[in-house]
Amino acid sequence: MNSADVAIAGAGIIGLTSALELKDAGCNVTVFDQGEAMSEASRAAAGMLAGADPENPTELRELAKLSLACYPGFLARVEDLSAKRIPIRTTTTVQGVKHLPATLDHATILRTVLSEREVNARAPGANTAGWKFLLLEEQSIDAWDLAEALPAAARAAGIELRENTSVFTVRGGTSGVDIVTADGTFSAGSFLNATGAWAPSLDRSLPVAPRKGHMLTTELPGELQMHCVLRTASVYIIPRGATRYTIGSTLEDAGFDRNVDPRLIHDLFSRAVDLWPPLRDANIAETWVGFRPGSEDGLPIIDQTSERCWVATGHFRNGILLGPGTGRVLSQWIVGREPEIDLSPFRCGRFALSPALSPAS
Ligand SMILES: Cc1cc2nc3c(=O)[nH]c(=O)nc-3n(C[C@H](O)[C@H](O)[C@H](O)COP(=O)(O)OP(=O)(O)OC[C@H]3O[C@@H](n4cnc5c(N)ncnc54)[C@H](O)[C@@H]3O)c2cc1C
């Protein structure tokens, strides 16, 4: 079929969660990906649903809250449709901070700030020097589990998924859009650009760039010694079942360079060993890189860009957390309903007013 109610470019978490929500709303949906579905940032991710991270910008709170509320239903639906499991891998995070966030009141401090003994009960052998540790109720999943299940779920739901089919350009008309792809021209009632770090290739006005991240997984023989995520601003360690721990990440402006730099992997591993010394006996099992879609101000861009076109990109370090909520509000908007949360912090217009771009600066 060469037409659909909604066509989506990009089969990462943002494109596919939107596709599932739109399908539920009664739309025929086709999703194009230039490569394999869920093979870019969405599979490279650490999988932390870090809605409680005190370092998150306040503008993300409402979308993060909605997305976390959507998560149980989203995972159950994807598991059901795909017949693949996406286990919750951890349920708490121990986060080291240099200073307690000013927003914490006394009761919250009593509840969340851990003594050295409490840190050690959760992360035995952790190096606590110079840090105050917070206990956050936060879950993580393995992005590889989601990457296996979500495309299968989309197909089972009746969404047409066209892999290895780049979208080149999109031309808007009054009754629909023409989408020029590697496989010919396709027509749709509406179009969503969910191409992550590649979004400017379809709309040059979008201030988005790839923010490269290196990751590694280690094997530490013996019993699993830590069951929570241990995180500071410079490194995180995530137990991944059995004897594996995933460690991340760097933040680089290196374009779409797919090379793994052994020096950066070594540096990341050293930072992890410094935070959690038991890791010094671990072997590096896997290394990889991914490209976070980073906007100019670090916030997502979720907007209607013309009568029949929408964009959702710029989810930066939190796209796994924010995916189901983003899919929910986009589908509401595209089918003509009022999105259930205020999306004004994520509109494109904010860049025209930013000091960097304003004529007065
Ligand atoms: C190292 C690392 C660690 C991370 N850790 C976390 C974490 O712990 N928690 C969290 O919430 N987030 C995390 N993130 C962020 C998260 O992975 C991203 O924000 C999210 O995956 C972005 O999803 P997306 O669908 O926008 O982009 P992507 O997953 O990159 O998907 C975009 C898709 O568009 C396709 N595409 C591009 N151009 C075209 C075109 N012209 N035509 C057709 N298809 C096209 C691409 O092939 C790709 O499949 C991490 C990211 C990285 C890199």
Side-chain angles (χ1 to χ4, degrees):
M1 201 167 75
N2 263 335
S3 66
D5 297 328
V6 185
I8 298 176
I13 188 168
I14 301 302
L16 291 180
T17 54
S18 304
L20 275 177
E21 290 280 348
L22 284 158
K23 188 73 193 171
D24 282 350
C27 302
N28 284 323
V29 186
T30 296
V31 185
F32 298 92
D33 201 286
Q34 65 184 5
E36 213 184 295
M38 292 290 287
S39 64
E40 295 289 355
S42 301
R43 188 168 69 191
M48 294 176 288
L49 308 182
D53 187 340
E55 313 269 335
N56 283 345
T58 50
E59 291 90 337
L60 287 187
R61 272 193 204 143
E62 227 192 328
L63 182 58
K65 195 169 152 210
L66 171 65
S67 212
L68 286 170
C70 292
Y71 244 99
F74 166 68
L75 290 181
R77 175 114 205 279
V78 172
E79 288 189 333
D80 238 33
L81 284 164
S82 67
K84 294 175 193 288
R85 288 208 57 231
I86 311 166
I88 299 294
R89 300 292 183 144
T90 57
T91 54
T92 49
T93 292
V94 171
Q95 175 149 346
V97 290
K98 289 290 175 196
H99 307 284
L100 292 180
T103 46
L104 288 190
D105 58 36
H106 185 64
T108 316
I109 288 176
L110 284 180
R111 206 176 60 242
T112 58
V113 180
L114 298 176
S115 66
E116 198 167 328
R117 195 170 50 81
E118 288 167 325
V119 174
N120 263 285
R122 290 177 169 82
N127 176 5
T128 54
W131 298 102
K132 292 179 177 22
F133 284 92
L134 304 175
L135 180 65
L136 308 177
E137 277 179 30
E138 202 181 84
Q139 299 182 324
S140 75
I141 56 173
D142 187 332
W144 279 79
D145 294 335
L146 188 63
E148 285 279 301
L150 188 50
R155 285 199 173 94
I159 291 159
E160 192 186 4
L161 187 48
R162 296 198 184 183
E163 294 177 299
N164 304 307
T165 311
S166 293
V167 171
F168 297 136
T169 48
V170 179
R171 292 189 219 109
T174 44
S175 61
V177 274
D178 287 335
I179 297 143
V180 181
T181 77
D183 199 22
T185 301
F186 188 91
S187 58
S190 305
F191 173 75
L192 169 63
N193 177 357
T195 54
W198 292 264
S201 71
L202 293 179
D203 179 349
R204 271 188 295 157
S205 71
L206 295 168
V208 171
R211 312 292 311 276
K212 181 176 175 181
H214 277 74
M215 299 277 293
L216 67 142
T217 289
T218 59
E219 291 270 3
L220 180 61
E223 269 181 34
L224 192 69
Q225 297 178 37
M226 187 169 71
H227 298 270
C228 62
V229 172
L230 184 60
R231 182 168 78 206
T232 66
S234 65
V235 70
Y236 46 76
I237 306 164
I238 308 176
R240 275 284 174 264
T243 52
R244 292 166 85 86
Y245 297 85
T246 291
I247 296 166
S249 177
T250 59
L251 182 57
E252 304 152 56
D253 291 314
F256 289 104
D257 171 14
R258 292 189 185 271
N259 290 316
V260 173
D261 182 339
R263 284 169 312 154
L264 293 178
I265 292 291
H266 182 259
D267 180 52
L268 205 49
F269 184 51
S270 303
R271 276 188 263 157
V273 170
D274 192 42
L275 178 63
W276 194 48
L279 267 184
R280 68 179 156 254
D281 298 324
N283 303 312
I284 296 178
E286 268 181 82
T287 58
W288 68 95
V289 298
F291 305 110
R292 307 171 185 91
S295 72
E296 206 172 82
D297 60 5
L299 294 175
I301 299 175
I302 303 171
D303 206 351
Q304 182 169 10
T305 51
S306 67
E307 198 183 339
R308 294 181 172 275
C309 295
W310 279 260
V311 63
T313 179
H315 290 74
F316 194 32
R317 326 176 76 130
N318 283 304
I320 304 301
L321 164 69
L322 301 173
T326 301
R328 172 71 54 88
V329 292
L330 269 170
S331 122
Q332 290 165 341
W333 200 348
I334 292 172
V335 302
R337 287 169 49 202
E338 181 78 14
E340 69 185 82
I341 61 166
D342 173 25
L343 296 175
S344 52
F346 311 129
R347 307 288 297 258
C348 297
R350 71 188 191 268
F351 297 112
L353 301 174
S354 76
L357 296 176
S358 91
S361 67

